[in-house]
Amino acid sequence: MSIILGLLIPFVGTTAGAGCVFFLKRQLGPLVKKGLLGFASGVMVAASVWSLLIPAMDMVVDKGKFAFIPAAIGFLLGIGFLLLMDEIVPHLHMGSECAEGIHCNMRKTTMLVLAVTLHNVPEGMAVGVVFAGMLSSEPEITVMGAFALAIGIAIQNFPEGAIISMPLRSEEGLSKKRAFTYGALSGIVEPIFGGITVLIASYVTPVLPYLLSFAAGAMIYVVVEELIPEASVGKHSNVGTISFAVGFVLMMILDVALG
């Protein structure tokens, strides 16, 4: 039950964020959006370091100065995986008119949701692999540490849910219910991929360090490829940078204090 709850926590964050469409009448302002994107970036980078890469290296500390090898390999594979998905899956980023991935005749709204859904996959994998590490009784991963990551991902999912549902309402003209549904469904892949990762990792415990760093690489790809560039669009502002710092420190505190 604790694992099921942990896997669902990030989805709850996305759903709560998407629910903002019922309470906010206008679309998110540029500075607010920059702040939310910067905050989400900070949380994801801190989670990648403290909750994924460091435990991955701690698990193979017996390798001495070569303990970085599983983390380095897994990290690069995670980057490569998301790069490949970006090239294959048809999707459209908010504010862009040019779709990415394989050409198709999907509706614009569908491709907008697919863009967010695609980038929620590594977050679900990250939570899943951490709970798998907890199940395998790895001393580097505690129950509270696993929940700290799930809570951190949920916190950064809240603004992501709002960022997808609000524009769907204001720019695409969808009803509040449909905008909320699309926003919430963009996060459903997290518990799904989290559960799949738990099932896989439970059978391949020796490669847990690789899976942890794989999830970290995929998350960093999302930050560098999408979140930070989107937080820098338009008139220059330090809001995104300050929010990044706040998100990073918050996730670091969560992981160190609870883990």
Side-chain angles (χ1 to χ4, degrees), residues 42-55 75 149 212-213 215-220 223 251:
V43 171
M44 291 179 72
V45 171
S48 298
V49 175
W50 267 272
S51 300
L52 300 171
L53 288 175
I54 291 178
F75 184 86
L149 176 62
L212 285 166
S213 50
M219 287 175 64
I220 292 296
V223 172
M251 185 64 227

Side-chain angles (χ1 to χ4, degrees), residues 43-157:
V43 171
M44 291 179 72
V45 171
S48 298
V49 175
W50 267 272
S51 300
L52 300 171
L53 288 175
I54 291 178
M57 288 185 281
D58 287 343
M59 286 181 186
V60 290
V61 69
D62 59 306
K63 295 184 181 294
K65 62 182 180 180
F66 295 106
F68 69 88
I69 292 178
I73 293 175
F75 184 86
L76 293 176
L77 288 175
I79 294 283
F81 173 74
L82 256 290
L83 183 61
L84 178 63
M85 290 298 99
D86 254 351
E87 294 295 323
I88 295 176
V89 179
H91 60 285
L92 179 68
H93 296 289
M94 200 67 65
S96 174
E97 295 298 326
C98 183
E100 298 180 24
I102 296 175
H103 177 72
C104 68
N105 294 318
M106 285 185 182
R107 295 174 58 187
K108 182 178 179 181
T109 302
T110 303
M111 289 195 289
L112 285 169
V113 175
L114 277 175
V116 178
T117 302
L118 174 63
H119 295 155
N120 279 336
V121 170
E123 296 167 18
M125 294 175 62
V127 175
V129 74
V130 167
F131 275 96
M134 182 197 75
L135 274 179
S136 64
S137 301
E138 291 288 346
E140 294 82 10
I141 302 177
T142 65
V143 175
M144 292 307 295
F147 272 99
L149 176 62
I151 293 170
I153 296 295
I155 291 173
Q156 72 93 25
N157 276 354

Side-chain angles (χ1 to χ4, degrees), residues 178-259:
R178 287 190 67 190
F180 167 75
T181 301
Y182 280 125
L185 287 178
S186 70
I188 195 65
V189 294
E190 295 192 10
I192 292 175
F193 274 84
I196 292 173
T197 305
V198 169
L199 293 176
I200 294 175
S202 63
Y203 292 103
V204 287
T205 301
V207 299
L208 267 177
Y210 293 92
L211 292 176
L212 285 166
S213 50
F214 179 94
M219 287 175 64
I220 292 296
Y221 176 89
V222 173
V223 172
V224 176
E225 175 71 11
E226 303 298 339
L227 300 186
I228 290 180
E230 288 179 15
S232 304
V233 171
K235 186 178 179 181
H236 173 71
S237 171
N238 292 322
V239 171
T241 303
I242 295 171
S243 299
F244 177 95
V246 173
F248 186 95
V249 171
L250 176 61
M251 185 64 227
M252 180 177 65
I253 291 173
L254 274 175
D255 188 82
V256 175
L258 298 181

Side-chain angles (χ1 to χ4, degrees), residues 8-19 153-162:
L8 288 175
I9 287 176
F11 176 61
V12 171
T14 303
T15 303
I153 296 295
I155 291 173
Q156 72 93 25
N157 276 354
F158 182 86
E160 282 192 354

